[in-house]
Amino acid sequence: MSPSRPRRSMRLLVPVLVAALAAACTTPPKLPPGADNPGLSDRGLREVNPLDVAVLPVTNQTGLSGLPLDELRRCFHQGLVERHYSPLALDYVDGRATEASYQPGASEENAVLEVVLTGWDDRHWKTHARLVIDADVWLRDAARPEADAVLWGGHVSRTLEMGKVRDVVVGEQALLDRTVTQFAEEVLASLPARRPELASAR
């Protein structure tokens, strides 16, 4: 009788293994951070490896008013710190703008980050706390002010589902702040972190 027990155990185990394998095959692989921003690409960032970055005021091309442009700028500024860049103080950058414009390199920075807001779809914000933001984001080489001096960037569209966050924050403004923070984080997830070892090796 004993030889039949292992066979019976194996017969019971095979369906379990098959089910587990099927579940593993149907589970989509987890994408690396930033992989779902197909419009953003590295265009020479690693070669320049900038450190100091001037974050410009966000440009609003949506035709809408009252958008949290300053908060969005601060979120991108903080996000650069988390990716090992050194963004210049916003007041310092603003103090070197002339006639509401900024000349790249005016603050002796290595690169300039530009964010142009092109879409703001809040039709489902009140009901589902869903916001769709579209933007053009460009990191440009400050040493080359010509238009093709793009180190990283492109167009990005993010759908932000904040229903669960709404349950844990107090007030609409706090929810909106969390939303634009998440937008900046998801966009900058596609920005390669700065590699200090490359600078020291030069």
Side-chain angles (χ1 to χ4, degrees):
M1 297 295 290
S2 58
S4 65
R5 290 177 182 172
R7 294 195 201 98
R8 189 178 300 115
S9 299
M10 286 299 296
R11 285 197 298 271
L12 294 173
L13 183 60
V14 167
V16 175
L17 292 174
V18 171
L21 182 60
C25 291
T26 56
T27 302
K30 186 176 181 180
L31 294 173
D36 55 348
N37 288 325
L40 301 178
S41 61
D42 184 346
R43 306 185 183 188
L45 178 65
R46 297 184 186 278
E47 288 75 14
V48 176
N49 198 34
L51 174 60
D52 297 328
V53 180
V55 181
L56 303 188
V58 176
T59 302
N60 182 9
Q61 292 186 352
T62 67
L64 303 173
S65 60
L67 302 186
L69 305 181
D70 291 339
E71 180 62 23
L72 189 58
R73 184 189 185 192
R74 285 191 291 269
C75 291
F76 273 96
H77 185 276
Q78 179 59 36
L80 286 175
V81 174
E82 295 169 358
R83 302 199 70 75
H84 310 303
Y85 295 88
S86 179
L88 303 178
L90 299 179
D91 291 344
Y92 182 80
V93 173
D94 292 343
R96 277 149 184 77
T98 58
E99 298 180 358
S101 64
Y102 184 85
Q103 183 66 34
S107 303
E108 300 183 359
E109 73 278 8
N110 306 125
V112 174
L113 182 69
E114 301 176 17
V115 179
V116 180
L117 209 56
T118 59
W120 185 276
D121 184 352
D122 59 359
R123 287 174 294 177
H124 302 289
W125 177 253
K126 295 292 186 183
T127 56
H128 296 87
R130 178 186 302 134
L131 181 63
V132 182
I133 302 178
D134 289 87
D136 294 325
V137 183
W138 306 105
L139 186 68
R140 303 183 187 275
D141 187 350
R144 296 185 298 133
E146 59 270 20
D148 64 345
V150 174
L151 302 176
W152 168 84
H155 182 75
V156 63
S157 180
R158 303 294 308 184
T159 299
L160 302 140
E161 303 281 359
M162 308 300 290
K164 293 182 180 179
V165 179
R166 171 176 278 174
D167 297 334
V168 297
V169 300
V170 179
E172 200 73 9
Q173 186 59 51
L175 179 62
L176 186 58
D177 289 347
R178 287 283 294 272
T179 306
V180 295
T181 297
Q182 182 168 319
F183 173 73
E185 290 175 349
E186 293 182 4
V187 171
L188 290 177
S190 297
L191 174 66
R194 186 175 185 274
R195 299 176 62 187
E197 71 276 10
L198 294 182
S200 60
R202 292 179 180 177

